Amino acid sequence: MALAAEPGFKGWFIHNMAPIMFGTLVVFLLIGYPVAFSLAANGLIFGVVGIWLGLFDPKFLQALPERVYGTMNNEVLLAVPFFTFMGLILERSGMAEDLLDTIGQVFGSIRGGLAYAVIFVGALLAATTGVVAASVISMGLISLPIMLRYGYDRRVASGVIAASGTLAQIIPPSLVLIVMADQLNRSVGDMYEGAFVPGLLLASLYAVYIFIISSIFPGAAPGLPLEAQTLRDPQQKLGPSRILGAVAAAGFAYLVATGSLPHLTEGVLSGTANTAAWGVGAFVLLFFVMSGTAKLLTPSLFIALALSIGLSIMLMTETGVKFGADYVVLTMSATVAIAFVVAVVNRIFRLGLLSKLAEQVVFVMVPPLALIFLVLGTIFIGVATPTEGGAMGSVGALILAFARGRLKFDLMRQATYSTAKLSAFVLFILLGARVFSLTFYGVDGHKWVEELLVSLPGGQVGFLIAVNALVFVLAFFLDYFELAFIIIPLLGPAADKLGIDLIWFGVMLAVNMQTSFMHPPFGFALFFLRSVAAKVPYADRVTGKMMEPVTTAQIYWGAVPFVVIQLIMVALVILFPGMVTHYKSGGVQLDQGQVKQQFENLAPVDDLAPPPLTFGK
């Protein structure tokens, strides 16, 4: 461009307009202006400046109304209000409270049991609500006082609650994954399926951390005393339950060993050794859980569990589903179905087959698990789009709230108001991002970013290191919506040019962006927990003992180990891309070589003589 060769400040400004525009946006955000208005204002101001300098074609602005209308007419983004409404209805209907109370009784007898319960419920809430604020606030109000009552270290308790709440960002139906898919121009269903296994693995890493802490420092995460285990079955004998737990763990270990996870380590181990390693590892982990919760495994429940495992194995064999999220969802659905039928029959006919705790667990856990299958299962198997899945989830949440007798007008009003507020927030940021990107693309800013990132030393590896470092640093100042709308459209084209799978790239960045909730001092999850944690000494409502408050420093230090775990998870996604790219196994894969061969075998068009004209003879 001729103007780019002009001397002096004007020539320099024209040549560097794209980085100046991006830097000005960062300054606006640091000053404290709202993100949506900062984006739109920067786009319009630099658009006018670009026209004045002859660098920006005024015709670009004529596309602005079409972009705004296209954003508002985007059916994919309709999933955002649906999933938000579903999560708020479930959170306000008391589901989180019931889950935390029951699962706390299940795991409470072992060291770190309440922390395991928080992680488990956090993953379950993430798969049903998809809203971080709802998960953190619910668990902070319910679990934190109980954990402090029984002697948990304040840093461990606050860290595990804040971290478990952020699982709602990476485990579907996450709102940020919807936005990520839209910005990368990829399927939301594929993004959900790719993120499912990394989300569950991240929750498992949290549990491993709690196991290490409770083993090294038993006083930091003690088990519940007997008097607090109100649903305990005093007649349950530990010995037989250990045996039943071993058998049940062996059945689940078989499902793990024959599923998709062993494909992640085929480069290290192969064949029977690889399958055996996963089977042994799964058995050890599951037996630890089963034996720790042995009071659940009454003989009758063990029979139901054995039938469920057998049905799951048969289902997997008949359908041939062996990969990723489809496998997990179908196995989970088959496993809980029989247990629920047994519990219903037991309650109706008063057969006394299940212990009090076992029956409580079934009735508390099955409704959210059924909702997970209704939403994620239908999306994964291709029956519904994410928007349709969100609509079904909203209806399912209303039905669950009605069944609990908690569907009140005030609940509906609050959920509707909060949904409208969050949806408007997302839409306005997206509209501002559209205005910003219109000008940024008009001054060839995308080419500047692409050339900058693609030319980094190290190829794909150098690009991934630089991008993850950039996102991690920006997460100190921006939340995940802002990162998704500002950064992802700039990084996506460069990643695509380098041949990186954009679904895998999006999931990796989503795990990294999850740290934006946990970064001291600006992490939103830390703010949510700070808002509900005790700030002054208080009297415990059960024991009457005066309890010390939770300080802000304790919340921040408790979050640091989980930020490190999230970074480890980013490294695992990079090292083992198969945990994300398994989403491809569900679709029809074409052999490009065979397709090319078929076209080469076709006769040339010139050699195909037209049929003779017979005029009906």
Side-chain angles (χ1 to χ4, degrees):
M1 187 176 293
L3 288 174
E6 290 190 14
F9 176 78
K10 184 177 180 180
W12 175 87
F13 188 89
I14 292 174
H15 184 71
N16 295 283
M17 186 169 176
I20 292 172
M21 184 178 177
F22 188 79
T24 305
L25 173 63
V26 174
V27 172
F28 269 66
L29 295 176
L30 291 177
I31 291 175
Y33 282 104
V35 178
F37 300 128
S38 298
L39 286 165
N42 268 272
L44 293 175
I45 291 172
F46 278 90
V48 173
V49 172
I51 294 173
W52 176 61
L53 294 174
L55 186 64
F56 184 71
D57 192 338
K59 293 180 180 179
F60 273 105
L61 295 179
Q62 296 177 2
L64 189 57
E66 183 179 352
R67 281 200 165 203
V68 172
Y69 178 76
T71 300
M72 299 175 66
N73 200 37
N74 190 337
E75 292 186 3
V76 173
L77 294 178
L78 275 176
V80 172
F82 280 135
F83 284 124
T84 304
F85 182 77
M86 179 185 76
L88 292 171
I89 289 290
L90 290 174
E91 185 261 330
R92 286 172 167 79
S93 67
M95 184 189 72
E97 183 176 355
D98 293 342
L99 280 170
L100 284 167
D101 181 59
T102 304
I103 304 304
Q105 292 285 325
V106 173
F107 292 106
S109 60
I110 59 178
R111 281 185 300 189
L114 288 176
Y116 293 128
V118 166
I119 296 170
F120 183 86
V121 174
L124 207 55
L125 289 177
T128 50
T129 64
V131 182
V132 173
S135 298
V136 174
I137 291 174
S138 297
M139 293 190 294
L141 286 171
I142 300 164
S143 293
L144 186 58
I146 300 175
M147 298 173 83
L148 298 183
R149 179 184 307 149
Y150 295 112
Y152 270 70
D153 183 88
R154 282 165 167 71
R155 290 169 296 180
V156 174
S158 58
V160 75
I161 289 174
S164 299
T166 64
L167 291 172
Q169 181 178 337
I170 188 62
I171 295 180
S174 162
L175 300 183
V176 72
L177 293 177
I178 299 174
V179 175
M180 189 81 71
D182 177 70
Q183 295 299 302
L184 292 174
N185 198 25
R186 289 298 184 269
S187 164
V188 177
D190 288 345
M191 190 70 75
Y192 275 2
E193 196 163 355
F196 197 78
V197 172
L200 295 182
L201 184 57
L202 181 59
S204 301
L205 291 179
Y206 289 168
V208 170
Y209 169 72
I210 294 299
F211 175 75
I212 294 173
I213 289 294
S214 61
S215 299
I216 300 176
F217 307 105
L224 285 178
L226 290 179
E227 61 270 16
Q229 301 174 35
T230 56
L231 296 177
R232 183 174 60 92
D233 184 358
Q235 304 300 323
Q236 184 68 35
K237 294 181 180 180
L238 191 60
S241 295
R242 295 274 189 185
I243 298 172
L244 299 181
V247 177
F252 281 121
Y254 174 82
L255 289 173
V256 171
T258 57
S260 60
L261 290 177
H263 292 274
L264 303 177
T265 54
E266 284 181 340
V268 181
L269 296 172
S270 59
T272 306
N274 189 35
T275 303
W278 277 94
V280 171
F283 174 80
V284 172
L285 177 61
L286 290 168
F287 177 68
F288 168 75
V289 174
M290 292 289 183
S291 60
T293 59
K295 52 186 174 293
L296 277 177
L297 291 169
T298 56
S300 55
L301 184 60
F302 170 73
I303 294 172
L305 189 61
L307 289 173
S308 302
I309 295 172
L311 178 61
S312 299
I313 294 173
M314 184 178 68
L315 180 64
M316 296 303 103
T317 303
E318 293 296 326
T319 60
V321 176
K322 290 289 183 184
F323 294 93
D326 293 3
Y327 185 84
V328 174
V329 172
L330 289 176
T331 304
M332 178 183 67
S333 304
T335 302
V336 301
I338 291 183
F340 184 68
V341 171
V342 171
V344 170
V345 172
N346 179 69
R347 174 167 290 188
I348 292 176
F349 295 101
R350 299 183 179 180
L351 301 177
L353 297 176
L354 302 179
S355 67
K356 183 180 178 181
L357 179 56
E359 188 175 279
Q360 179 74 3
V361 168
V362 172
F363 282 114
V364 167
M365 283 190 57
V366 167
L369 289 175
L371 192 63
I372 291 172
F373 176 75
L374 178 67
V375 176
L376 298 182
T378 53
I379 293 174
F380 290 163
I381 63 180
V383 175
T385 65
T387 302
E388 294 166 346
M392 290 191 296
S394 298
V395 174
L398 291 173
I399 293 173
L400 290 181
F402 178 78
R404 293 170 178 267
R406 298 174 180 174
L407 186 60
K408 309 295 183 182
F409 175 77
D410 189 55
L411 184 147
M412 291 282 293
R413 181 184 62 81
Q414 292 178 10
T416 304
Y417 173 77
S418 299
T419 300
K421 186 177 179 180
L422 180 61
S423 301
F425 168 76
V426 173
L427 184 62
F428 269 93
I429 291 182
L430 184 54
L431 292 178
R434 290 282 191 250
V435 177
F436 179 83
S437 64
L438 182 68
T439 303
F440 197 74
Y441 278 60
V443 298
D444 291 335
H446 61 295
K447 294 182 180 178
W448 172 77
V449 173
E450 184 176 312
E451 290 174 1
L452 176 67
L453 295 175
V454 171
S455 60
L456 289 172
Q460 287 189 359
V461 176
F463 170 77
L464 292 175
I465 293 174
V467 164
N468 278 291
L470 172 67
V471 171
F472 182 76
V473 172
L474 290 177
F476 276 92
F477 312 103
L478 304 176
D479 72 5
Y480 66 101
F481 273 130
E482 296 161 359
L483 288 169
F485 287 130
I486 298 172
I487 301 299
I488 301 305
L490 303 179
L491 301 180
D496 194 33
K497 188 170 183 179
L498 286 171
I500 296 174
D501 183 282
L502 291 187
I503 295 292
W504 174 80
F505 184 68
V507 171
M508 178 195 67
L509 290 186
V511 177
N512 194 334
M513 288 161 56
Q514 189 178 346
T515 60
S516 67
F517 281 100
M518 299 290 293
H519 275 319
F522 301 115
F524 280 92
L526 308 182
F527 290 159
F528 296 146
L529 184 59
R530 174 69 281 174
S531 68
V532 297
K535 301 178 181 65
V536 296
Y538 67 98
D540 185 77
R541 65 183 182 86
V542 174
T543 63
K545 180 182 177 182
M546 289 300 297
M547 305 293 295
E548 291 297 320
V550 179
T551 66
T552 302
Q554 288 170 340
I555 294 177
Y556 285 171
W557 280 112
V560 170
F562 292 94
V563 173
V564 175
I565 292 173
Q566 289 168 347
L567 295 179
I568 293 173
M569 189 65 220
V570 173
L572 291 177
V573 172
I574 295 175
L575 293 174
F576 304 104
M579 72 173 68
V580 176
T581 55
H582 66 78
Y583 77 92
K584 297 179 181 179
S585 63
V588 178
Q589 304 297 314
L590 298 178
D591 187 330
Q592 298 297 328
Q594 291 185 5
V595 173
K596 183 178 180 180
Q597 185 65 37
Q598 291 289 334
F599 276 103
E600 290 177 351
N601 291 338
L602 293 176
V605 176
D606 296 339
D607 295 343
L608 299 176
L613 299 176
T614 60
F615 300 101
K617 295 182 180 179

